[in-house]
């Protein structure tokens, strides 16, 4: 119960200002190290000249850049989907053309087989004397008088 009334703020109800070590003069020697500066540059906390980048002031610029990246990713995704659709259509057309060629070839073979079978049946019938060979008829030309 006694701890419930304990307050470590000592009556001060205002927020503490945020601390940024990059602005601390006592930390200057640490941040002048080239390894630390290269790390800060890679993480986007300082620019090439070594000036501190205030993320709060540049938030709108960062938001615009992020939106551009999102738009570029969406456009790339659309382009890839369109390309995949085009590939699928081309592949489908090739498949249909191959299938059509196979059907036509099969039809030609069936016609040839039927013709050969008919010739075999006719030759067998002629050999057994069941059917007399057909005589080829020649048409005689009639001279027409006009």
């Amino acid at each position: 119960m006694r701890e419930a009334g304990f307050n470590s703020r000592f009556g001060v109800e205002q927020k503490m200002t945020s601390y940024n070590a990059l602005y601390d003069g006592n930390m200057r020697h640490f941040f002048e190290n080239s390894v630390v500066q290269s790390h800060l540059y890679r993480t986007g906390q300082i620019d090439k000249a070594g000036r501190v980048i205030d993320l709060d002031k540049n938030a709108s610029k960062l938001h615009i850049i992020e939106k551009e990246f999102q738009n570029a990713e969406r456009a790339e995704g659309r382009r890839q989907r369109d390309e995949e659709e085009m590939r699928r259509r081309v592949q489908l057309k090739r498949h249909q053309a191959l299938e059509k060629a196979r059907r036509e070839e099969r039809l030609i073979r069936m016609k040839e087989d039927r013709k050969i079978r008919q010739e075999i049946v006719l030759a067998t019938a002629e050999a057994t004397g069941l059917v007399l060979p057909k005589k080829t008829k020649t048409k005689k030309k009639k001279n027409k008088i006009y």
Side-chain angles (χ1 to χ4, degrees):
M1 294 288 176
R2 193 175 70 181
E3 290 84 16
F6 180 76
N7 187 356
S8 64
R9 294 185 185 246
F10 301 109
V12 179
E13 294 296 324
Q14 39 180 305
K15 289 188 174 181
M16 201 175 195
T17 59
S18 63
Y19 173 75
N20 190 343
L22 294 172
Y23 293 110
D24 190 347
N26 296 322
M27 296 292 293
R28 183 179 182 149
H29 180 71
F30 173 74
F31 289 117
E32 286 177 350
N33 184 343
S34 61
V35 174
V36 174
Q37 282 195 349
S38 65
H39 172 71
L40 293 173
Y41 179 72
R42 279 194 317 270
T43 57
Q45 296 181 43
I46 62 172
D47 61 5
K48 276 191 173 185
R51 294 183 298 257
V52 177
I53 297 175
D54 188 6
L55 295 179
D56 294 332
K57 289 180 182 176
N58 295 322
S60 63
K61 292 178 186 175
L62 289 174
H63 181 70
I64 291 170
I65 292 170
E66 287 173 357
K67 284 290 185 186
E68 287 178 359
F69 276 123
Q70 289 173 354
N71 291 338
E73 287 173 356
R74 262 190 245 117
E76 180 66 19
R78 264 184 261 127
R79 186 191 65 77
Q80 286 179 350
R81 282 192 304 276
D82 291 345
E83 192 173 298
E84 281 296 320
E85 179 65 21
M86 185 64 73
R87 280 192 190 123
R88 189 188 66 76
R89 287 181 184 172
V90 167
Q91 189 175 16
L92 184 63
K93 284 183 180 182
R94 285 181 182 162
H95 180 70
Q96 288 172 345
L98 282 172
E99 193 62 34
K100 183 179 178 182
R102 285 185 191 125
R103 280 194 307 266
E104 289 174 357
E105 186 178 320
R106 194 176 324 126
L107 185 63
I108 290 170
R109 270 188 278 140
M110 288 170 60
K111 286 180 180 180
E112 289 173 353
D113 289 346
R114 178 180 285 156
K115 187 177 179 182
I116 291 170
R117 278 195 311 262
Q118 287 174 348
E119 289 175 2
I120 291 171
V121 169
L122 184 62
T124 306
E126 286 176 0
T128 58
L130 297 174
V131 177
L132 296 175
K134 289 184 178 180
K135 294 182 180 176
T136 57
K137 296 181 181 179
T138 57
K139 290 187 178 181
K140 296 181 182 177
K141 288 186 178 181
K142 295 182 180 178
N143 292 335
K144 291 184 182 179
I145 303 174
Y146 294 105

